[in-house]
Amino acid sequence: MCIRDSFSTVWLAKDLKHESYVALKIQKSAQNYMEAAFDEVEILEQVSTKWKTKEWQESYRQYESAKEISSDSCNCIQLLNSFIQYGPNGKHFVMVFEISGVNLLEVIKRYNYRGIPLPLVRTVTRQMLIGLDYLHRICHIIHTDLKPENVVVCLSKEELRDIVTKGQFGSNKSEYKH
C-alpha cells in the first residue's frame, strides 16, 4: 500500500523484529527535502517522548481519570524511528511511524459532506483538543496547519487486518465507532 504527496511516499511495512505493522514515510532525495525532514524529526521526537513527563501525566489524569497513560494519551502520531536510506535516486530520509487510519477529510467524504454524527464529532473534537493541549503546553509546539487532511483516526485491529489482507480500508460508514 502506497500513498504519495509532494514531498514523500508512505508505505505500509511489517516490522519483523517487533511483529507489527508500521508506516514508512520516505522523503524525496533533494537536499531541501532532507533538511525539512531533519526539522520534522526534531519536532516529532519531542512529541514522541514528552508524554512521559510528570506534568503531562497529571494533566491527562484530569481528562481521563481511569485510563492508563501511554504514548497514545497525547493523541498525536508517534515517530518510532528514523534513518537515511541510500538508493539509486540518491539519499532518502525515512521516518517510521505507528500506523494510522484515514484522515478526517476521508471521514467527511464518507458521509457525503452532509455532516458527521454528533457523537463522533464530540469524540474527535475532544481528542483533538487534548492533542493540541499536549503539543502547546507540554511540547511548546504550535500546530500551524490544522485541517481535516492533517487529522488522522486510529485504526482498530480489524481495520489493520483489512489493510494487510486487502490492501485497503473498507468504505462502510458504520466502521467509524464513537
Side-chain angles (χ1 to χ4, degrees):
M1 183 171 176
C2 171
I3 300 169
R4 297 180 196 275
D5 70 16
S6 304
F7 311 107
S8 60
T9 305
V10 179
W11 291 90
L12 175 65
K14 185 167 186 179
D15 180 335
L16 298 175
K17 182 178 180 182
H18 296 101
E19 287 295 314
S20 63
Y21 287 91
V22 296
L24 297 179
K25 179 179 180 182
I26 303 171
Q27 206 77 14
K28 287 186 174 179
S29 62
Q31 185 59 34
N32 58 327
Y33 295 124
M34 189 68 70
E35 291 166 9
F38 278 110
D39 292 341
E40 185 176 352
V41 164
E42 187 176 320
I43 292 168
L44 289 167
E45 284 177 340
Q46 287 183 53
V47 172
S48 294
T49 58
K50 292 202 172 192
W51 64 269
K52 298 173 188 174
T53 65
K54 182 178 180 181
E55 182 182 5
W56 177 248
Q57 293 190 11
E58 288 172 357
S59 294
Y60 187 70
R61 283 192 183 94
Q62 292 176 358
Y63 296 132
E64 303 283 347
S65 59
K67 282 198 162 192
E68 179 182 324
I69 298 174
S70 69
S71 61
D72 294 336
S73 70
C74 63
N75 293 323
C76 296
I77 194 81
Q78 298 294 302
L79 177 71
L80 303 175
N81 201 351
S82 63
F83 56 92
I84 294 177
Q85 178 67 40
Y86 295 89
N89 297 317
K91 172 167 84 166
H92 300 273
F93 200 98
V94 180
M95 292 174 249
V96 183
F97 290 96
E98 62 181 345
I99 189 169
S100 60
V102 297
N103 63 45
L104 190 53
L105 180 59
E106 291 301 316
V107 176
I108 292 167
K109 287 178 184 176
R110 290 185 187 181
Y111 284 95
N112 299 318
Y113 297 96
R114 295 178 185 248
I116 301 169
L118 195 53
L120 184 55
V121 171
R122 285 186 181 119
T123 299
V124 169
T125 302
R126 185 172 200 286
Q127 291 172 354
M128 281 178 40
L129 290 172
I130 290 170
L132 288 169
D133 177 44
Y134 172 75
L135 286 176
H136 180 73
R137 202 165 41 81
I138 305 300
C139 300
H140 306 289
I141 295 168
I142 297 171
H143 197 304
T144 59
D145 197 20
L146 189 60
K147 56 187 178 183
E149 298 92 309
N150 290 341
V151 176
V152 293
V153 297
C154 295
L155 288 174
S156 68
K157 290 181 182 179
E158 296 79 25
E159 290 167 326
L160 180 56
R161 187 184 63 243
D162 284 349
I163 291 172
V164 171
T165 57
K166 299 175 189 171
Q168 65 182 22
F169 285 103
S171 60
N172 189 342
K173 293 178 203 169
S174 66
E175 293 173 20
Y176 299 106
K177 307 281 189 262
H178 37 273

